Amino acid sequence: MFTHTLTSVLLSLWTAVSAAPTRPLAVKPEPRVAQMAPSAGKPATANVSAAPSQGLPLGDVVAKVQKHYDGTQSYKAEFEQAQLNATFGRTTRSSGEVLFKKPGRMRWNYSKPEPKTFVSNGDVLWLYEPEDKQAFKQDLKGSQLPAALAFLMGKGRLDDQFNIEFAPKLAYGRPGDYRLSLKPKQAQSSYKAIYFIVDPETFHVRQTVLIDSQGNINDVTFTNMQMNSKLADATFQWKPPAGVRVIDAAKVKP
């Protein structure tokens, strides 16, 4: 349903490009961490080392990622998304372009397998499906979205919501990448874990993996990233074309 898709997409975007807190995170590693094999889609358990071989300590990695995104006011990239349905073992793949501008403005232009657009000016989010001639509208101010999405709007604190640890056995990323696990401190109905794949040189979060409460996996990889590009505010404004059916997401049953 729209609200589930919205949560998944927003969380994926937020983990890659949202505003980071302004002071170091309180990192609380746990003794064990889940790992996924992309083909299986089911978590397994693996021991966690203190840090990847010859890598930086966890606190330093998190601080460098934070500093990088503190200085990011806008963001542009291409993306590839793989969504695994754990029940049927079926993966849906899509791709397109994503743009982000603080505070809270974003646009996802899907080109494959069919065109669709997620766009938000920070107050309202639209999902436009041109082939179906319909658009979903979500009021972000009055919505009951998970608390983690508040970070997209520049509110709340990352370390208030998540425990962060290394996930060196995670079957994503390239050799040398930092793999971070973010687990919500309080159980969430929409998701149970988020993973970052961090470039060891630039400290870009170039891949995010989100696992929902049913075990479905949303894997988004970002390429051709451009930080602090000049993006016009009009890019994040959208109005439904004539003849498009508008659906208020707040009135749609989950």
Side-chain angles (χ1 to χ4, degrees):
M1 213 56 215
F2 172 70
T3 52
H4 175 78
T5 303
L6 169 66
T7 298
S8 184
V9 169
L10 284 180
L11 280 171
S12 295
L13 174 64
W14 165 73
T15 54
V17 298
S18 67
T22 56
R23 65 179 176 85
L25 304 181
V27 180
K28 299 181 179 180
E30 298 176 358
R32 303 178 76 83
V33 65
Q35 66 165 350
M36 279 79 57
S39 59
K42 293 184 179 180
T45 305
N47 291 329
V48 178
S49 61
S53 177
Q54 299 181 343
L56 295 173
L58 179 60
D60 289 353
V61 174
V62 175
K64 285 181 177 292
V65 172
Q66 172 185 312
K67 181 179 180 180
H68 177 72
Y69 287 104
D70 274 342
T72 301
Q73 298 301 314
S74 64
Y75 178 96
K76 181 179 180 181
E78 296 175 7
F79 72 87
E80 293 186 359
Q81 183 178 29
Q83 294 177 290
L84 172 68
N85 184 306
T87 301
F88 299 102
R90 184 183 307 151
T91 299
T92 302
R93 300 185 183 278
S94 53
S95 61
E97 179 187 54
V98 61
L99 305 97
F100 176 89
K101 187 176 183 179
K102 293 179 181 178
R105 288 168 287 184
M106 68 172 186
R107 186 177 186 115
W108 292 70
N109 295 318
Y110 282 77
S111 56
K112 296 179 181 180
E114 58 187 32
K116 63 180 177 180
T117 300
F118 283 87
V119 59
S120 174
N121 61 4
D123 296 324
V124 176
L125 184 136
W126 292 92
L127 164 58
Y128 174 44
E129 299 173 328
E131 292 191 0
D132 295 330
K133 295 184 178 180
Q134 67 180 10
F136 291 86
K137 180 181 180 181
Q138 176 74 60
D139 182 354
L140 296 180
K141 288 184 177 180
S143 69
Q144 298 299 313
L145 296 175
L149 296 185
F151 294 110
L152 183 65
M153 313 308 295
K155 302 175 182 178
R157 288 186 47 78
L158 186 62
D159 55 343
D160 286 343
Q161 300 291 329
F162 295 100
N163 292 315
I164 304 174
E165 59 184 11
F166 280 125
K169 302 295 184 179
L170 192 69
Y172 291 89
R174 304 173 299 190
D177 284 343
Y178 290 105
R179 296 162 176 82
L180 301 181
S181 168
L182 282 74
K183 294 183 179 179
K185 293 182 178 180
Q186 296 183 355
Q188 302 289 325
S189 60
S190 56
Y191 69 96
K192 62 181 180 181
I194 299 172
Y195 296 88
F196 285 1
I197 307 301
V198 178
D199 186 285
E201 295 183 1
T202 64
F203 293 91
H204 288 319
V205 177
R206 59 179 191 79
Q207 184 176 7
T208 69
V209 182
L210 183 143
I211 304 168
D212 70 16
S213 56
Q214 285 76 47
N216 302 312
I217 300 175
N218 186 1
D219 171 14
V220 182
T221 300
F222 301 91
T223 58
N224 297 325
M225 293 174 284
Q226 300 176 35
M227 301 298 186
N228 294 322
S229 302
K230 293 183 178 180
L231 303 177
D233 291 348
T235 303
F236 308 98
Q237 300 291 340
W238 187 85
K239 292 183 179 180
V244 170
R245 181 169 67 109
V246 175
I247 302 169
D248 188 342
K251 299 178 181 179
V252 177
K253 294 181 179 180

